[in-house]
Amino acid sequence: MSVQENIVIRKSRKGNVIAVSREHYLRDDLSCGSDLCRICKHPALGLATGRLGANQEAYVIPDVSAVLDQTDVILSGIKPFKEVLFLETVINEVRLASAKVYARVKEALTTMGSSANYAIFSNEHHRSTFVKRSDQTSASAYSEECILSAATWLDQHWKPIRRPAILVTDKDLLGKTLETVEIISVENLVRKYEGVEPQLRDLVQTRDENSDVDMRDAKRPRLYPDYIPLADAQRKVKNGKLFQGVFNTNPFNRLEGTVKIQKGTGDEGERFSVLIQGRENMNRSVQGDFVIVETLPKDQWKVPSKVALDEGDDSEDDDGKDSTNVASEVHQSDSVQAIPTGKVVSVSKRNWRPFGGSLDAARYTGGDSALFIPAEKAIPRIRIRSRRVQELLRKRLQVVIDAWDRNSHLPR
């Protein structure tokens, strides 16, 4: 066991200069996580008793972006994700970024008896994989260095058992290269195996809302404006130019919603509802989203609609044309006073949780595309693509929205 000492000079509130010494203990007896390895000892790591086995020819090491953005794929237990090793660096980053994802990873690491094997490797406390951080290195760059260092060492360490390491990323490590370790995106790895495991394709998530991620829809005209970068939008919220709140859909008309905002700070702030009316102004907002809105000039204020849409009025035809008459989306009444009206310019936090419902068998005409009807009336229909549409018809499903493209009336 060796010790890495880091001394930090700090100044106290009273003006005293204090030297803070931090000791980081390194060990060389920590297990690599594989039961096949005869070099490592295999001490128990608390509740994380999982070990990698011989379910597949290579071991998958996901980075932070892969775990956060492609959780369903990483924890699917489907080849090539039957043997997954989580690095200590990745676990720590995930814990800070998402309590929900961290809980799922923790459950996978502590649950025995599943068809897949999940293990953890303490790379930050292993002498061979520890990376000392310099003062000029940012937190994200240091995290990448730790992951790349651990993957390189593990690949060499596993050569006697003929289990190469595959470093899987969603975006963080794209463009990075290592001499001996393959770095591949989750989507490309899934594409290699989708002929054998077609259900894996259904789990891949794409969340780039400001790009036309689905090339099959690329020729459609753009229906929604781009979102303002979140950092810029939040800065304008602090300056009082924009406002934020929870988007609530009209349960009788999904083409209309409201956002309760506060103008001013503290008890003196004025709270009122902003009407969001029409698809373009709603800008792909879903019930429960935490959105940032811009209020419109007073001469553009409107009155809430008194028209209820039928269940199928928010659908779109296969050619992408809206089946609802756009001119009839907003109905005004001169006898009712107009209220503050606005438009959604950015989304701070999505409410893309699992939605229960079933596929629209009546409108299904064959192929790999179908409409999903959520049980909640406030949620729009969701277009799904799957090779298993035929067997999913007339079954109760749970669907999570992956993306809502600028050129589609419906999320997918």
Side-chain angles (χ1 to χ4, degrees):
M1 182 181 295
S2 62
V3 180
Q4 290 282 337
E5 187 176 23
N6 184 28
I7 299 177
V8 180
I9 306 299
R10 290 183 175 178
K11 191 174 183 179
S12 68
R13 293 181 178 179
K14 295 181 178 181
N16 300 326
V17 177
I18 303 174
V20 179
S21 177
R22 294 177 179 172
E23 294 181 345
H24 191 95
Y25 290 87
L26 303 179
R27 298 169 57 178
D28 51 16
D29 61 342
L30 296 174
S31 170
C32 66
S34 173
D35 258 346
L36 305 181
C37 181
R38 295 295 173 259
I39 302 174
C40 294
K41 299 177 182 179
H42 299 284
L45 296 177
L47 295 176
T49 56
R51 292 290 181 268
L52 303 186
N55 284 333
Q56 59 190 37
E57 300 77 20
Y59 290 154
V60 169
I61 303 175
D63 74 344
V64 180
S65 64
V67 177
L68 288 175
D69 299 336
Q70 304 291 349
T71 314
D72 292 336
V73 179
I74 300 298
L75 300 180
S76 63
I78 303 173
K79 193 173 183 179
F81 299 98
K82 283 181 171 291
E83 304 284 354
V84 181
L85 182 78
F86 293 96
L87 301 176
E88 179 187 6
T89 300
V90 174
I91 296 293
N92 291 336
E93 293 284 338
V94 169
R95 180 173 56 85
L96 295 175
S98 172
K100 188 176 181 180
V101 175
Y102 175 72
R104 291 188 61 184
V105 173
K106 183 179 178 181
E107 182 182 5
L109 287 168
T110 57
T111 302
M112 303 298 291
S114 64
S115 59
N117 294 319
Y118 306 102
I120 185 172
F121 174 59
S122 300
N123 62 296
E124 294 183 7
H125 290 83
H126 197 289
R127 192 199 309 272
S128 300
T129 57
F130 172 75
V131 177
K132 189 171 183 178
R133 181 177 177 179
S134 64
D135 296 335
Q136 292 77 27
T137 306
S138 64
S140 59
Y142 177 67
S143 176
E144 288 184 7
E145 288 182 23
C146 292
I147 294 172
L148 295 174
S149 172
T152 302
W153 182 83
L154 287 168
D155 184 72
Q156 294 296 321
H157 182 78
W158 288 332
K159 281 190 179 300
I161 60 174
R162 298 180 180 179
R163 289 295 186 276
I166 300 178
L167 190 53
V168 176
T169 183
D170 190 52
K171 55 179 178 291
D172 288 352
L173 298 179
L174 290 178
K176 302 284 185 179
T177 56
L178 291 175
E179 290 184 7
T180 59
V181 181
E182 179 184 11
I183 301 179
I184 187 171
S185 68
V186 173
E187 189 167 359
N188 287 338
L189 186 58
V190 167
R191 193 175 290 120
K192 284 186 177 182
Y193 285 85
E194 65 179 346
V196 181
E197 304 287 356
Q199 66 270 35
L200 204 55
R201 166 57 61 179
D202 299 339
L203 301 177
V204 178
Q205 299 182 9
T206 53
R207 297 188 180 274
D208 189 355
E209 297 169 312
N210 280 342
S211 65
D212 300 326
V213 294
D214 194 336
M215 296 307 295
R216 285 174 282 192
D217 295 337
K219 294 182 180 180
R220 294 184 178 183
R222 183 181 298 185
L223 303 174
Y224 301 101
D226 289 342
Y227 290 132
I228 297 176
L230 187 56
D232 295 342
Q234 289 176 337
R235 185 169 57 251
K236 291 182 178 180
V237 169
K238 292 181 179 180
N239 296 336
K241 297 180 180 179
L242 299 177
F243 307 93
Q244 60 184 355
V246 177
F247 181 81
N248 292 297
T249 307
N250 184 335
F252 304 104
N253 185 345
R254 281 188 289 267
L255 298 178
E256 182 178 277
T258 57
V259 179
K260 288 187 177 181
I261 65 173
Q262 178 169 333
K263 197 171 185 179
T265 58
D267 297 334
E268 299 179 357
E270 177 188 2
R271 292 186 62 84
F272 58 93
S273 293
V274 175
L275 177 67
I276 311 294
Q277 202 170 58
R279 282 194 171 90
E280 186 173 350
N281 288 338
M282 290 172 63
N283 200 1
R284 299 165 283 174
S285 300
V286 174
Q287 168 71 25
D289 284 352
F290 197 68
V291 300
I292 297 177
V293 300
E294 176 185 351
T295 55
L296 300 176
K298 195 168 184 178
D299 59 352
Q300 297 182 34
W301 289 6
K302 302 182 183 299
V303 297
S305 172
K306 295 183 178 180
V307 176
L309 291 184
D310 293 334
E311 195 170 302
D313 284 347
D314 64 339
S315 62
E316 63 178 343
D317 300 325
D318 291 335
D319 60 0
K321 294 181 181 179
D322 183 12
S323 62
T324 305
N325 185 353
V326 177
S328 67
E329 287 183 3
V330 179
H331 297 263
Q332 304 293 334
S333 175
D334 295 334
S335 61
V336 181
Q337 186 177 1
I339 64 174
T341 306
K343 60 181 180 180
V344 175
V345 296
S346 190
V347 179
S348 297
K349 186 177 181 180
R350 284 293 192 184
N351 185 36
W352 285 354
R353 55 182 172 80
F355 300 111
S358 58
L359 298 183
D360 191 346
R363 296 194 181 194
Y364 178 64
T365 57
D368 64 351
S369 179
L371 282 177
F372 173 79
I373 307 174
E376 298 179 48
K377 299 299 183 183
I379 305 300
R381 295 190 175 197
I382 303 169
R383 182 168 295 281
I384 71 166
R385 285 193 169 96
S386 172
R387 296 182 180 181
R388 303 166 57 213
V389 171
Q390 294 279 1
E391 64 179 275
L392 296 177
L393 291 173
R394 298 178 179 84
K395 289 185 178 180
R396 297 292 292 178
L397 309 173
Q398 275 196 332
V399 170
V400 177
I401 298 174
D402 287 343
W404 194 337
D405 302 336
R406 297 170 301 183
N407 52 6
S408 175
H409 283 296
L410 302 179
R412 59 183 178 85

